[in-house]
Amino acid sequence: MDRTRTADHAGGAGATLLARCALLTVAGAVGVLLFALGEGGLLVLAAGLLGLVVWAAGVWWFLAYRGAVRLFGLLVAIAAPVAVLVFFAHHRLWLTALLLVLIWGIALALARAALRRARPEPPMRGRAATRPLRPVLIMNPKSGGGKVGRFGLVERAEGLGARVVLLDPAAPADVAELARTAVAEGADLLGVAGGDGTQALVAAVAAEHGLPFLVISAGTRNHFAMDLGLDRDDPSRCLDALTDGEELRVDLGEVAGRAFVNTVSFGVYADVVERPEYRDAKAGTALSLLPDLLVGEGVRRVDVRADATVLTAQQALLVSNNPYGSTDDLGIGGRRPRLDSGLLGVLGIRVEGAAQAADLAVRGTQSTGLTALTARRVEVTAEEDEIPVAVDGETLRMPVPVVCTLRPRALRVLVPRDRPGVPAPVPSVNWRRLAALAFGRSDPGTGDSSGSGSGHSSDHSSDPTAEGPTRD
C-alpha cells in the first residue's frame, strides 16, 4: 500500500511539474512572438492562420463540388501552404516561424505528457483462464490478403488441438450459423481468423452461450485485435492463447440487434461504402460521390439522441464500442484505451460550407462542426424509412430509428499472456485542465476519454452503472 501511495504521489508531482513546464513554454512562445521578434512574429502568426483558413476552404471546395470549382479548390489547397512558405522566405521570417513551431511542439508534448501522467488509463484486467479442450476456429483464407495460408494458421491451430472450419471463398457461408453448429457439437471456445465484421458475428454467438472467444489478427486492419493488445504483424502468436492464455471481459456493441466490436457509421461514410464500386476504387468512388452527399441532391442528414443529448442534421456520425483516446485519434492508427468502460463513443460532424471547414481546421475539437460525447444508448433517425449503416466496415440497410447500445463485459476474450499490449493513448490537450493541474486546483473534469471539445462527454471509468453524459 505504501509503495502504491508513493507511486501515485510521484506520478501526481511529475504531472504537476510537466504541466508547469508546458505553461512556461507557452509563455515563452508568446514572449518570443510579441516582444523578442516584434512585428515579425505577428506576421508569422497572421500568415500561418490565414494560410490554414484558405487551405481548409480549398479542401472543402475540392471535396464538395465538381468541375471548375473542384479544380479551383485543389489549386487553392496546394497554393495556400506554398504561398505561406514563400511569404516567410521573402520577408526573412522562416527562422522565426521555425522557432515558434518548435516551441509550440515542445509545449504540446509536455502538455500531453502531463495529462497522461495525471490520469493514467488503467489496463484492462485479465484473469487466469483454463485451457480449452474443444476449441473451434473459423478461418477465412482470403482475409488480409491470404494471411491464413501465409502464416500457416491452419496447421498451427490443429497442432494445438483446435478444430478448424475453413471457409470456401467460392461458396459464401453463414459464419454465425457455423458457430452455432460448433457450439451444438460441443465446442468450448469459438475463434475467428478474419476481418472485424466476421469477428463480430462469431463473437455474438460466443457471448450468447457464455463461451470464450479467440481473436486471430488475420484481417486487413484488425482494429479489434489492436485494441486488445494483440500482435497484428504475426497472427500466429494469437494462437498462443490456446495453451497460455488469460481472459478479458470486454463490452459488445449492438446496433438494431446486430453485434459490432468496433464502430457503426452513419451518413456520408456509410453512403460511400454502400456503393459496390467502392471496394475496387475507394478514393475515386468517394471523390465522385461526395459532392452529391455533402451539398447536392443526395445529401442525407441524420438526427441523433445520445442518452439525453440531441444532435440535429449531422452529415456523419460515428458510434464506437467504447470511446477512442481522443478525437485526434480516429484514423487508421486510432486506439481505444479500454474496451470495458460500458460506454459508447459518439462523434458527430456537421460542416455546411467553406467557413465551417476553416473553423474546424483552426479550432479543432472546439469547433461547432464537431461534437464528441459518450453515451449508453444512441438512437439515429432520418427522413427516409431506411438508411445505409456501416457496421465494422460492412454496409447494411436498416429501418429507422436505428438504436445502438452496449452489453457491458458480455464477451469473454481469450488472449495470450505474452502480447505487445496497448500503448498509452495520446490525450487531447485541454488547457483549462492543464492550468488547474499546474496550480493545484481541482480538476475541472474536461479531460474525458473521448476527447470531446465542443460537445459533451462522460468520464465514468469502467463503472457500467454510472450516470449519463455531462456537459463540458
Side-chain angles (χ1 to χ4, degrees), residues 255-288:
V255 52
R258 179 189 172 99
F260 69 94
V261 294
N262 291 327
T263 59
V264 179
S265 300
F266 303 84
V268 172
Y269 177 74
D271 286 325
V272 171
V273 176
E274 184 185 32
R275 302 301 177 98
E277 61 269 29
Y278 175 77
R279 297 296 177 185
D280 297 324
K282 292 181 173 59
T285 303
L287 287 176
S288 67

Side-chain angles (χ1 to χ4, degrees), residues 176-269:
E177 188 59 35
L178 290 175
R180 293 189 185 95
T181 300
V183 174
E185 293 175 350
D188 60 355
L189 174 141
L190 296 175
V192 175
D196 288 325
T198 307
Q199 297 276 0
L201 293 174
V202 180
V205 178
E208 176 186 350
H209 294 276
L211 295 179
F213 178 65
L214 178 64
V215 177
I216 305 171
S217 55
T220 302
R221 293 178 180 170
N222 303 293
H223 284 175
F224 190 43
M226 175 176 66
D227 293 340
L228 288 168
L230 299 176
D231 190 335
R232 295 192 298 164
D233 296 324
D234 184 0
S236 66
R237 290 188 60 190
C238 300
L239 295 172
D240 293 342
L242 294 174
T243 55
D244 184 25
E246 63 180 7
E247 186 178 296
L248 301 175
R249 297 298 293 261
V250 306
D251 304 333
L252 187 63
E254 284 192 355
V255 52
R258 179 189 172 99
F260 69 94
V261 294
N262 291 327
T263 59
V264 179
S265 300
F266 303 84
V268 172
Y269 177 74

Side-chain angles (χ1 to χ4, degrees), residues 149-192:
R150 192 160 67 250
F151 289 91
L153 298 182
V154 175
E155 297 77 12
R156 176 84 192 281
E158 290 178 341
L160 293 173
R163 180 166 71 89
V164 175
V165 178
L166 196 62
L167 300 179
D168 183 359
D174 185 340
V175 293
E177 188 59 35
L178 290 175
R180 293 189 185 95
T181 300
V183 174
E185 293 175 350
D188 60 355
L189 174 141
L190 296 175
V192 175

Side-chain angles (χ1 to χ4, degrees), residues 83-99:
V84 171
L85 293 176
V86 170
F87 176 82
F88 288 163
H90 182 266
H91 292 274
R92 298 182 179 180
L93 295 173
W94 66 269
L95 188 58
T96 301
L98 180 61
L99 181 60

Side-chain angles (χ1 to χ4, degrees), residues 63-64 66 70 268 272 285-296:
L63 294 176
R66 295 187 177 92
R70 169 167 283 183
V268 172
V272 171
T285 303
L287 287 176
S288 67
L289 295 175
L290 279 176
D292 290 333
L293 298 176
L294 292 175
V295 296

